[in-house]
Amino acid sequence: MEKKNIDWSNLGFGYQKTDYRYVSNYKNGAWDDGAIVTDDTITISECAGVLQYAQTVFEGLKAYTTQDGKIVTFRPDLNGERLEASAARLKIPVFPKERFVDAVSKVVKANAAFVPPYGSGATLYIRPFIFGSDPVIGVKPANEYQFRIFTTPVGPYFKGGAKPITIRISDYDRAAPVGTGNIKAGLNYAMSLYAIVDAHEKGFDENLYLDPKTRTKIEETGGANIIFITKDGKLVTPKSNSILPSITRRSLVYVAQHYLGMEVEEREILLSEVDDFAEAGLCGTAAVISPVGKIVDHGREICFPSGMEKMGPYTQKLYDTLTGIQMGSVEAPEGWIHVIE
Ligand code: PLP
Ligand code: COI
């Protein structure tokens, strides 16, 4: 298979249309068989549930080319599981996780020419989503839905790749205490748009949200979970019911404990204790691990000893091990790597 003529190493995190997408429609109480299609457009009613009441959930994962030339995905079963949970919370019919994994494989295989080569620094981002497609005007769930997956080749989420970023404590919340912060719903991201534009205008790379109930504890950023490293090399990451259960974070916790022999604490983290940490990083599919050099809390600067030039040593080890597992140079735990071809 011949790869597309793309300048892989200079890709940013943007949308570029690829040749194929996967579509399955839900009608009369059942999902149809689904198929790979070429049409990248969707025609729906002006009154569709997704357009009126934001009834939509999504996922994000990546396909990688490994060192020995295979195309693989990383723990797609967990994305399938999380999409089931997200759908259930918004009264969207569940698309079964086994079918999800199969659909991901099919759409990646169809778009193999767009999977960036090993060593290019780019990957194929996979965006599965479900939306209410038939008209609703009273506030209620739609009756019909579409599950769709498109793919797009991407580079680093933050400009500069592995360079430490600066984030600020947000004055807005992204989640309610017993809301939808723990699922991957489009509405959570709509909530964050005002704050992210404002952050960028003021020179910050991302917003760090506090717990919406007491505004004293660290939660996560608009598009990633957060990890900290203590001065004695322990990984500490927030435990909260209103953050997204990041697959990258869960994998890093395992890597820290089982590959790097690090101690891990998943617990509430007060904003007031962040000054004591040695390193910080944002973790997620898009972010991978993006080192944080500085957190700004209303003018007060929290500068991590790891600095603004490069990742701290523990973050680097976590990054190397995780990406090594994803790209096949480090042996993966059983079941983490799903070979497509
Ligand atoms: N938190 C938010 C708000 C996200 O959008 C993402 C991205 O998916 C994550 C965390 C990281 O989750 P994952 O590691 O499963 O990609
Ligand atoms: C992902 O990491 O897959 C996400 O969905 C985050 C988004 C901000 C791009």
Side-chain angles (χ1 to χ4, degrees), residues 13 58-61 82 125 127 157 184 189 206 222-224 284-287:
F13 195 86
F58 69 101
E59 268 306 320
L61 66 164
R82 193 170 60 189
Y125 187 69
R127 173 52 63 87
Y157 189 65
K184 210 158 165 62
Y189 298 80
E206 249 290 12
T285 298

Side-chain angles (χ1 to χ4, degrees), residues 67 74 254-255 258-259 320-337:
Q67 213 169 17
F74 180 71
Y254 185 92
V255 163
H258 296 90
Y259 284 65
D320 290 344
T321 312
L322 179 73
T323 55
I325 288 171
Q326 290 166 335
M327 314 264 179
S329 62
V330 174
E331 193 174 342
E334 174 92 31
W336 280 24
I337 298 298

Side-chain angles (χ1 to χ4, degrees), residues 13 62 125 155-158 161-162 165 206 221 223-225 248 281-291 311 319 322:
F13 195 86
K62 284 171 169 174
Y125 187 69
Y157 189 65
F158 293 104
I165 56 172
E206 249 290 12
T221 64
N225 279 179
T248 313
L282 304 187
C283 65
T285 298
V288 192
I289 308 181
S290 301
M311 284 190 200
Y319 179 93
L322 179 73

Side-chain angles (χ1 to χ4, degrees), residues 218-232:
I218 302 291
E219 291 246 299
E220 64 172 329
T221 64
N225 279 179
I226 189 160
I227 57 169
F228 297 99
I229 307 291
T230 61
K231 291 190 177 118
D232 57 355

